[in-house]
Amino acid sequence: VAEGEPGEGREPFELPRFWDALGQTFQVTSQEATKLSLAFSRPPLPSAEDCRKLSEDVQNAILAVATVYYWLPKGQGTTLRKMVRDATTEVVEGMIQLTDTILNASVESLSQEQLISTGGVWEACEQVSNLPRDNQAAVVSALAACLGVVKDAVEEMEHALVEGQDPYGDIMEDEELGFRGNRDTYWSEADRQLLSSCMGLMKASKACLKKVLAAVKAHGKADSPEQIAQLDDLADIANEISPSVDELALSMYPPVNPLAVRLNAAKLASVLKKVLEIAKTSHVCPPSEEGWVQFLTGAVDHNMNKVKNFTQGQL
């Protein structure tokens, strides 16, 4: 960390060098957490001078972690930078929690809370080895996380639709609610026709993320500022898919409000069209990938038009 302050501009930034430095600072922080915890694990307590030295070492370790994080330029990718920032924050917060636990300990022995807090710092520091090494890997990780959430939402809604006429059938009877004979807890046949088109949009969301993820894995690069920025744009818009899918899914439960369903479907369709457009104009979509972009664009339009038709007379 003493090799130079960030922003001096004396040497060009190199990712491998950055990762070496970050790994070293995380390792030192883990060691300082161990030293601090052991010093307060049994009597006698450290002297005032020892406490001052321990505090200085912990502070220096944390400052080193933060300093190295700030070496990472935004130009290396905002997706990558956010993941490194989150990992750095976790280490800092872990050390704060460990220090608080020691300060608030009422007995001069190793408490369960202190053990847990120490382990928390170790775990946070070990995460550096799992971080993506460039923005392409970071965007792959971000897209895979989005895909996992959307897959779960699609499966949950499919399960509810297949279960039968009562999507709340797994809810226990409640004395205050009584037997749920209210038709607001059921889907009508007209509801189910509308929902089948909504399911088409949700499945298109899953397919869209799956295809974009595969394209980024196969063709994504982080060698130029333009490529890095295109990857960030893809990650940013893909992050909007999951919340939009969730909002549509929530509006699909009875009693169905056709206007709410249509608005949420339109919002999801708009997000999907943006994802496909950004993918199509980026380096991750060479001519060999254009077929699925066109197909999924058509699928989004087709299902959205069906939603419009089913809701036309109900608004």
Side-chain angles (χ1 to χ4, degrees), residues 277-296:
E277 185 58 35
I278 289 171
K280 184 181 176 182
T281 56
S282 77
H283 72 281
V284 306
C285 273
S288 60
E289 302 285 342
E290 286 175 5
W292 63 261
V293 174
Q294 192 174 347
F295 174 79
L296 284 174

Side-chain angles (χ1 to χ4, degrees), residues 30-312:
S30 182
Q31 291 166 351
E32 291 304 328
T34 305
K35 277 167 54 181
L36 181 66
S37 194
L38 283 173
F40 290 90
S41 63
R42 57 187 178 273
L45 290 175
S47 65
E49 178 60 26
D50 287 339
C51 283
R52 187 187 63 78
K53 180 69 169 66
L54 282 166
S55 298
E56 274 184 12
D57 290 345
V58 167
Q59 185 177 340
N60 288 337
I62 290 299
L63 284 173
V65 166
T67 300
V68 174
Y69 159 66
Y70 281 112
W71 284 359
L72 182 62
K74 289 179 182 175
Q76 289 295 322
T78 55
T79 310
L80 175 66
R81 204 165 190 265
K82 183 182 183 304
M83 290 181 179
V84 176
R85 184 186 68 206
D86 289 347
T88 304
T89 301
E90 208 172 315
V91 170
V92 175
E93 288 177 346
M95 191 63 95
I96 291 170
Q97 186 180 346
L98 173 59
T99 308
D100 281 344
T101 302
I102 290 170
L103 287 172
N104 296 323
S106 55
V107 290
E108 295 178 10
S109 62
L110 192 62
S111 67
Q112 185 66 21
E113 289 78 12
Q114 189 175 327
L115 277 171
I116 293 169
S117 296
T118 308
V121 178
W122 293 341
E123 204 173 307
C125 291
E126 285 166 10
Q127 288 306 306
V128 70
S129 60
N130 300 324
L131 287 170
R133 264 22 195 186
D134 62 20
N135 208 46
Q136 188 261 358
V139 171
V140 164
S141 175
L143 291 173
C146 291
L147 177 58
V149 175
V150 169
K151 269 183 179 176
D152 289 345
V154 171
E155 285 171 15
E156 188 179 321
M157 185 51 68
E158 280 181 325
H159 181 67
L161 284 165
V162 170
E163 261 189 342
Q165 292 298 311
D166 186 0
Y168 302 111
D170 59 342
I171 298 175
M172 296 290 286
E173 295 293 352
D174 189 288
E175 285 183 10
E176 289 182 18
L177 294 174
F179 291 99
R180 290 172 297 100
N182 189 328
R183 63 185 299 275
D184 284 350
T185 64
Y186 293 82
W187 280 308
S188 67
E189 191 52 44
D191 289 340
R192 286 182 174 273
Q193 286 184 322
L194 171 60
L195 299 191
S196 69
S197 303
C198 294
M199 280 306 304
L201 273 178
M202 290 176 71
K203 288 177 180 177
S205 305
K206 185 172 81 168
C208 184
L209 280 168
K210 203 171 179 181
K211 286 293 189 179
V212 171
L213 174 59
V216 172
K217 279 182 178 177
H219 309 291
K221 290 184 171 60
D223 300 330
S224 71
E226 186 182 13
Q227 290 170 341
I228 289 169
Q230 286 174 351
L231 289 171
D232 281 332
D233 287 344
L234 266 177
D236 288 344
I237 188 65
N239 273 332
E240 294 182 30
I241 294 179
S242 174
S244 300
V245 165
D246 286 343
E247 284 176 30
L248 176 58
L250 284 171
S251 68
M252 287 163 67
Y253 279 95
V256 174
N257 179 333
L259 176 59
V261 171
R262 180 166 170 167
L263 288 172
N264 285 320
K267 183 181 175 185
L268 175 58
S270 174
V271 170
L272 293 176
K273 296 285 283 287
K274 280 184 195 169
V275 171
L276 292 166
E277 185 58 35
I278 289 171
K280 184 181 176 182
T281 56
S282 77
H283 72 281
V284 306
C285 273
S288 60
E289 302 285 342
E290 286 175 5
W292 63 261
V293 174
Q294 192 174 347
F295 174 79
L296 284 174
T297 302
V300 172
D301 286 336
H302 173 72
N303 283 292
M304 191 59 224
N305 286 333
K306 283 173 72 177
V307 170
K308 287 177 183 174
N309 290 338
F310 283 129
T311 55
Q312 203 66 47

